[in-house]
Structure formats: C-alpha cells, structure tokens
Amino acid sequence: TQLLEQSPQFLSIQEGENLTVYCNSSSVFSSLQWYRQEPGEGPVLLVTVVTGGEVKKLKRLTFQFGDARKDSSLHITAAQPGDTGLYLCAGQTPYNNAGNMLTFGGGTRLMVKP
Amino acid sequence: ETGVTQTPRHLVMGMTNKKSLKCEQHLGHNAMYWYKQSAKKPLELMFVYSLEERVENNSVPSRFSPECPNSSHLFLHLHTLQPEDSALYLCASSQATGGYEQYFGPGTRLTVT
C-alpha cells in the first residue's frame, strides 16, 4: 500500500508570513498533484509535477517535486487570508491504461489570519 | 466551475432508506471515480470506471453500488447504510490514458441517521 504523509497537519499563521507544506512517501510516483479544498467543496487542482526535481510557480505558490519522485513541497510566500483552506497532495500511478490511481495525503489545514 | 457536477449536494437518510448520488462530467473525459472523504481519514478511492467498465473496487461494502451508464454519468446507489458511512462523497473524472489530472465535483455531504 502506498502512503503519502503530509506535514504539518494544521498551520495557523498571520497574513504576510511564509510557510512550507511537505508531502513524503517511500514510494515513487509518476506524477504528483497538489489540490486546495475549501469547506463544502471538492478539491481544486493547483498544479501537477512530473519530472524529478521539477519546480513550478503559481503566483506566490512554489511547488517542487523531489529528485527521486517520492516527495514534494509547497511553499507559500506572503500568505494571504484567501490562501486559507485544506491543501492535499496526491501521488499518481498509472493503472493499466484504465485511468490513473491517486493516493492522497492526509492534508494540511491552513488558516491565514488577517 | 470544474465541469463536474454532483447532486444532491446534501443528503440525510435513515439506515433503511435507498438513495442514489449522481455525478455528471462535461469535460469529455472517459474515466470516472468515486471517493469518500471522512473527517479523520485521507481521501479514499472507492470505485474507478474507465470507458464505462468498472476497473477497480477498493474493497467497498456491497451496500454501495456504482453504475456508469455512459462516459459522462456516474451513479452511486446506497442502501442500508450505517452511521459510519456519513461522509463527503466526491466524484472525479479524467482521461483514461495519457492524462495526469483528475477533476473533482463539489461533493455530496451524506448524513446517515
């Protein structure tokens, strides 16, 4: 069974602070996705990283895929209240040309206070 | 707007009821998924359909019965549920091959009384 561990589970910070969320596994994934989920809604895809060592930026969010494709991090610069939500990482493995299987981490619940 | 819709958004049912959850995707995908999201567990994959055929049943109790009549629609039929089945049920879709991303609907919040 593949497992993804996210840390921290909870994070409460002031507006303007920086933060990093980690996603670690002992398994190799073909790609890794980051989602943000707000209360009462489904997860919304933020980014997909595919290549080991890849770095992607989305405004104030920086995503990195580990060289061995087993881990990833999400760094937020100058956090804003609008960044509040549940951040989920998900590792993907192909499934016999019949879709792709996602293994989700437990999530990091972020609250950014004004 | 993610292109994946789910109805109803909220459902309260007794343990002896029978109900169905519906999911529809407008993204031209050909794989669809049901997930369960509980308060204290990571998102759990329940079922996968690819090209309208079930390819994965992740040890889900038989009181949950999926149906995929075509590549755009997915149902989850519920009967004789237990209170511990209360959760957010999420539907997602993707391309069956060559695609990485899954796109999620808003979910159905199910409460079993």
Side-chain angles (χ1 to χ4, degrees):
Chain A
T1 303
Q2 297 176 310
L3 292 175
L4 268 173
E5 293 191 7
Q6 274 187 250
S7 61
Q9 287 186 306
F10 301 96
L11 193 54
S12 180
I13 61 173
Q14 293 295 133
E15 181 176 2
E17 292 183 12
N18 301 333
L19 66 117
T20 302
V21 176
Y22 299 93
C23 180
N24 295 297
S25 176
S26 58
S27 302
V28 177
F29 294 102
S30 57
S31 70
L32 194 137
Q33 284 132 43
W34 284 92
Y35 292 82
R36 182 169 71 204
Q37 184 177 19
E38 300 191 18
E41 299 296 331
V44 175
L45 181 67
L46 296 175
V47 79
T48 299
V49 285
V50 179
T51 306
E54 182 176 5
V55 176
K56 280 192 174 179
K57 291 193 174 184
L58 185 66
K59 297 183 181 177
R60 292 174 294 99
L61 278 60
T62 302
F63 304 86
Q64 184 162 10
F65 202 11
D67 290 341
R69 289 186 290 132
K70 294 182 180 181
D71 54 84
S72 181
S73 64
L74 158 60
H75 182 78
I76 301 179
T77 304
Q80 298 179 1
D83 296 327
T84 293
L86 177 68
Y87 288 82
L88 296 162
C89 66
Q92 185 211 10
T93 49
Y95 190 79
N96 298 330
N97 289 327
N100 50 78
M101 311 303 290
L102 287 183
T103 301
F104 278 86
T108 294
R109 195 165 297 280
L110 172 65
M111 176 178 290
V112 182
K113 301 175 186 175
Chain B
E1 179 61 50
T2 63
V4 181
T5 59
Q6 289 186 243
T7 55
R9 293 294 309 274
H10 301 272
L11 178 62
V12 179
M13 59 185 289
M15 289 191 286
T16 59
N17 291 158
K18 289 184 180 181
K19 296 286 184 184
S20 295
L21 310 184
K22 179 183 176 181
C23 175
E24 184 173 358
Q25 61 95 3
H26 311 276
L27 300 170
H29 291 159
N30 49 20
M32 297 186 78
Y33 311 78
W34 279 117
Y35 288 88
K36 176 182 179 182
Q37 188 174 35
S38 306
K40 298 187 178 181
K41 290 184 180 180
L43 267 163
E44 299 172 82
L45 178 65
M46 300 175 71
F47 299 104
V48 180
Y49 275 84
S50 178
L51 303 173
E52 300 162 38
E53 290 190 14
R54 189 192 304 181
V55 295
E56 178 78 8
N57 174 357
N58 224 16
S59 302
V60 178
S62 60
R63 56 186 184 269
F64 294 92
S65 175
E67 179 189 0
C68 187
N70 56 62
S71 60
S72 298
H73 294 86
L74 185 65
F75 294 89
L76 188 61
H77 304 298
L78 316 170
H79 65 97
T80 58
L81 294 192
Q82 305 298 311
E84 59 264 29
D85 296 322
S86 298
L88 182 68
Y89 288 85
L90 291 159
C91 171
S93 71
S94 76
Q95 293 295 348
T97 58
Y100 299 113
E101 293 92 0
Q102 290 186 16
Y103 293 86
F104 285 81
T108 295
R109 173 66 62 186
L110 174 66
T111 302
V112 182
T113 60

